[in-house]
Amino acid sequence: MNRSSLVLLWCISTATLVCWPWSNASGESALRLSLPEKYETINANTYDEDGNAVGGARLVITSNEDGNTVLEGTAGITHSASMTYSMVLEPTKRSKLKPLLQKSHSVDLKGNSLGLLTINHVEGFASCSSSESDPKKKMRTLKLPSNDLVSNIPLSLLFRPLVEGKEKEISFQIFLCRPKPRLIHAKAKVVHSKKNAEGIVEVQYTISLGNLLNRVASPFLPKLSVWFDPKIPNMWIGHRIPLYTQGPTVTILRSGNHLKEIGIKQKLERAR
């Protein structure tokens, strides 16, 4: 199956997604996430699919004047495709965090802005601002279902119950802007691979396109993973993710760790 066929399959699949009943009132996230063990700045590196270091990355975990937890990060390829993101989470009475707002902004391989993605759990909507190449400059908005499960950004916090053995599988939703705003279902679970170093826990998550499309497309969909080391604060050490829809897939790895710890072999850099 060539790239054009994959793109066509992806576009067709968006039309088959289940529609949720919309609420007219303001929304609220149904997710309750683990508190970070430490508020800190985590430096990391970005690697391409051949294991070459192509840029820097950083995750900052802080609290604001309202007592909310704030996650801010950046990752990407130097002078090329990149993404920045932020999230605000409110503490709950049961020592958990409730998502309030998620934002991310991506830049393509040529440095052109692809617009701002916003998920407002309080107001109950998600939106996509226009890319630089869009002549209409139109804001596209999607209402969120009541008690939504959308989690684009805080996957390291979302997956902690899996790492700790408290859950066997976690279902959630991802909001995408291209080719049109939509929600897709996703499921995550711990996978056991001999490629990972001893003590490293890998959580792999997959998107759901429906039973029929899953069987057809699953061999061609990217394998998305988050890696954890339970021995360190906040546990996160890396993840594999596309920088934007149909964009380059990269691996983000915490500084001080090596690709071989998460089962990735570096290929010799191609001769220039």
Side-chain angles (χ1 to χ4, degrees):
M1 185 177 289
N2 58 32
R3 180 176 177 84
S4 297
S5 298
L6 286 176
V7 172
L8 177 61
L9 177 61
W10 179 266
C11 293
I12 293 174
S13 70
T14 63
T16 68
L17 296 177
V18 176
C19 294
W20 292 272
W22 304 123
S23 169
N24 293 324
S26 297
E28 179 176 292
S29 172
L31 294 175
R32 296 296 180 267
L33 309 179
S34 301
L35 289 162
E37 295 175 316
K38 182 180 180 181
Y39 289 85
E40 61 178 342
T41 296
I42 301 174
N43 292 312
N45 296 296
T46 302
Y47 297 87
D48 65 15
E49 293 186 276
D50 290 332
N52 299 312
V54 292
R58 188 173 66 166
L59 170 63
V60 180
I61 309 173
T62 59
S63 59
N64 63 19
E65 62 275 8
D66 296 322
N68 296 326
T69 293
V70 179
L71 278 67
E72 295 179 305
T74 182
I77 304 167
T78 302
H79 305 307
S80 184
S82 65
M83 67 177 297
T84 57
Y85 58 89
S86 64
M87 184 171 192
V88 180
L89 306 106
E90 180 182 55
T92 68
K93 294 180 180 180
R94 297 185 178 182
S95 299
K96 294 288 184 179
L97 293 174
K98 178 177 66 176
L100 299 180
L101 181 68
Q102 301 181 59
K103 290 186 177 182
S104 65
H105 174 250
S106 296
V107 172
D108 69 15
L109 293 167
K110 295 182 179 180
N112 299 314
S113 170
L114 294 175
L116 178 67
L117 180 155
T118 301
I119 304 165
N120 190 322
H121 301 276
V122 178
E123 298 297 329
F125 73 89
S127 65
C128 310
S129 68
S130 60
S131 64
E132 289 184 353
S133 61
D134 181 7
K136 296 182 180 179
K137 303 298 180 184
K138 183 179 179 181
M139 176 74 74
R140 297 170 295 164
T141 302
L142 179 72
K143 290 183 180 179
L144 295 176
S146 57
N147 296 317
D148 72 81
L149 296 172
V150 183
S151 183
N152 279 38
I153 296 172
L155 297 183
S156 58
L157 298 179
L158 178 66
F159 294 163
R160 284 192 60 160
L162 296 171
V163 180
E164 296 167 345
K166 297 177 180 178
E167 300 286 349
K168 291 186 178 181
E169 186 176 83
I170 289 178
S171 297
F172 62 106
Q173 298 163 320
I174 298 173
F175 174 64
L176 298 178
C177 283
R178 286 171 294 277
K180 63 180 180 180
R182 64 205 187 278
L183 291 175
I184 58 174
H185 292 288
K187 291 185 177 181
K189 63 180 180 180
V190 171
V191 296
H192 301 283
S193 173
K194 294 181 179 179
K195 295 181 180 180
N196 293 325
E198 184 177 356
I200 300 300
V201 178
E202 179 179 353
V203 174
Q204 195 171 98
Y205 61 105
T206 56
I207 62 175
S208 175
L209 304 177
N211 292 334
L212 176 60
L213 286 170
N214 277 348
R215 288 195 294 270
V216 175
S218 58
F220 307 100
L221 295 175
K223 294 181 179 179
L224 306 175
S225 293
V226 183
W227 290 272
F228 299 85
D229 182 352
K231 299 187 299 295
I232 63 174
N234 294 324
M235 299 197 294
W236 173 85
I237 61 169
H239 61 271
R240 183 190 295 117
I241 191 172
L243 288 174
Y244 50 88
T245 305
Q246 298 176 6
T249 297
V250 297
T251 297
I252 314 300
L253 187 64
R254 188 174 186 146
S255 298
N257 291 92
H258 302 282
L259 289 174
K260 62 182 180 181
E261 295 178 75
I262 57 174
I264 296 178
K265 293 183 178 180
Q266 286 180 285
K267 298 179 182 179
L268 293 176
E269 189 171 0
R270 297 185 181 94
R272 296 183 179 180

